[in-house]
Amino acid sequence: MTVVRDPSVKPLLEGRGVTKRFGGLVAVQSVDFAVYPQEMVGLIGPNGSGKTTLFDCLSRVQSIDEGRVLFKGIDITSKKPHSVAHLGMARTFQVIRVYRKLTVLENMLVSRQWRGETIWSQLRPSQADTEERARELINFLSLEHLTLEPAGTLSGGQRRLLELGMALMPDPDLILLDEAASGVNPTLVETIKDRIRRLNEERGKAFLIVEHDMRFISDLCTRVYVLNYGEKLAEGTPEEVMEDEAVIEAYFGT
Ligand SMILES: Nc1ncnc2c1ncn2[C@@H]1O[C@H](COP(=O)(O)OP(=O)(O)OP(=O)(O)O)[C@@H](O)[C@H]1O
Ligand SMILES: [Mg+2]
């Protein structure tokens, strides 16, 4: 079944012909895609197919060689990472980035930059508001018993939850998750899945999710893009792409 959408709804994020090269290697090649407001979209593909590189291009950690990226209708192709964050896009990293010696609460507080903070300092939330927000998110993510523990003592899954919390501190509208559940025990995978679903349903967040566990993708996402050697190989519902011959060949072929 194909996804039916109201044509008057504009994409939250849109990529047109996005291309990224590393020397002679084309890591991302002419990729078109869109994420609509409050949508849950998966991004899958074999190892080295360009998923993280595409995230790096979107969050502007990497320059884009060709093509354009629009976020909320604004061309962000040449914007700085912090400008994109201020517009309401956040991401997590394949290799988890938390400050191991800082406590869970401190990690949340250092990622506190709210949208517009640097422009209108008088609108900057007070330290008390920021801490209240951090504690609310820590509770939401079921990490409250670890609030004052150094992040280095957390399990892989707890760290993934913390990183999600850090990404949520600026109250983004779109969150890019790079390997949301890798290195996580099965119980915490369910917790992570549940919190992502609630963030979508109760708080209206949109997600673009990279994850090798196809069950994780199909449980959460209504639409999936498949990359292979940097090119878009397929798109559709999770069921459609899992039955696609070219996708099966890319994953399991010789
Ligand atoms: N900074 C870089 N310099 C040179 N080549 C790079 C760089 N980053 C990625 N690549 C190459 O670009 C290609 C895409 O890599 P990328 O990390 O985006 O894949 P991926 O789909 O995220 O893979 P995985 O599932 O293993 O995380 C690979 O061939 C990789 O070796
Ligand atoms: Mg990757």
Side-chain angles (χ1 to χ4, degrees):
M1 201 184 76
T2 359
V3 179
V4 181
R5 183 176 299 107
D6 178 349
S8 68
V9 177
K10 299 275 180 283
L12 182 62
L13 175 71
E14 190 179 5
R16 300 178 190 161
V18 176
T19 299
K20 175 68 191 174
R21 297 187 195 91
F22 294 112
L25 175 87
V26 190
V28 176
Q29 186 161 11
S30 276
V31 175
D32 293 329
F33 62 91
V35 178
Y36 287 82
Q38 303 184 19
E39 205 185 14
M40 303 279 263
V41 179
L43 177 63
I44 65 168
N47 292 118
S49 56
K51 305 177 297 294
T52 297
T53 303
L54 182 59
F55 271 17
D56 288 345
C57 290
L58 298 176
S59 57
R60 305 295 305 106
V61 177
Q62 286 282 3
S63 60
I64 296 166
D65 292 318
E66 279 168 40
R68 290 174 66 198
V69 180
L70 303 174
F71 183 57
K72 299 184 176 173
I74 298 165
D75 192 329
I76 60 162
T77 317
S78 305
K79 289 208 185 294
K80 296 268 186 289
H82 65 85
S83 312
V84 175
H86 282 148
L87 283 171
M89 190 197 299
R91 75 171 288 186
T92 64
F93 291 86
Q94 184 166 349
V95 179
I96 304 176
R97 294 186 183 182
V98 297
Y99 303 97
R100 299 174 63 88
K101 290 190 176 160
L102 298 187
T103 66
V104 165
L105 180 61
E106 286 165 345
N107 268 279
M108 294 289 283
L109 295 177
V110 296
S111 57
R112 74 180 186 284
Q113 285 93 345
W114 286 32
R115 263 183 251 163
E117 183 184 31
T118 54
I119 307 167
W120 304 106
S121 54
Q122 64 270 38
L123 293 180
R124 188 180 302 171
S126 70
Q127 183 67 24
D129 287 349
T130 308
E131 186 167 331
E132 191 181 315
R133 178 172 176 73
R135 287 184 182 274
E136 188 275 324
L137 284 168
I138 289 170
N139 289 348
F140 174 75
L141 296 168
S142 300
L143 293 174
E144 62 275 17
H145 58 299
L146 299 166
T147 305
L148 300 178
E149 296 296 325
T153 65
L154 270 55
S155 72
Q158 289 166 337
R159 262 185 255 175
R160 292 258 174 226
L161 280 165
L162 172 57
E163 220 199 0
L164 175 59
M166 291 164 72
L168 290 167
M169 276 302 282
D171 200 19
D173 300 303
L174 172 68
I175 302 125
L176 314 177
L177 299 178
D178 198 351
E179 308 226 348
S182 87
V184 180
N185 75 56
T187 314
L188 273 188
V189 168
E190 290 309 310
T191 307
I192 292 173
K193 218 191 280 180
D194 174 76
R195 295 313 186 276
I196 294 171
R197 187 180 290 117
R198 285 179 55 193
L199 285 162
N200 175 252
E201 290 174 359
E202 298 168 12
R203 307 190 189 196
K205 308 290 183 198
F207 284 88
L208 182 58
I209 305 174
V210 167
E211 178 47 54
H212 285 286
D213 175 357
M214 201 50 207
R215 179 75 194 276
F216 190 93
I217 294 286
S218 61
D219 281 352
L220 285 176
C221 300
T222 47
R223 227 154 47 78
V224 179
Y225 290 101
V226 187
L227 291 184
N228 193 34
Y229 294 110
E231 287 186 88
K232 188 168 74 182
L233 182 67
E235 67 178 281
T237 64
E239 295 74 24
E240 283 168 348
V241 302
M242 279 192 285
E243 286 168 8
D244 189 301
E245 293 289 337
V247 174
I248 295 165
E249 173 71 21
Y251 273 92
F252 306 109
T254 48

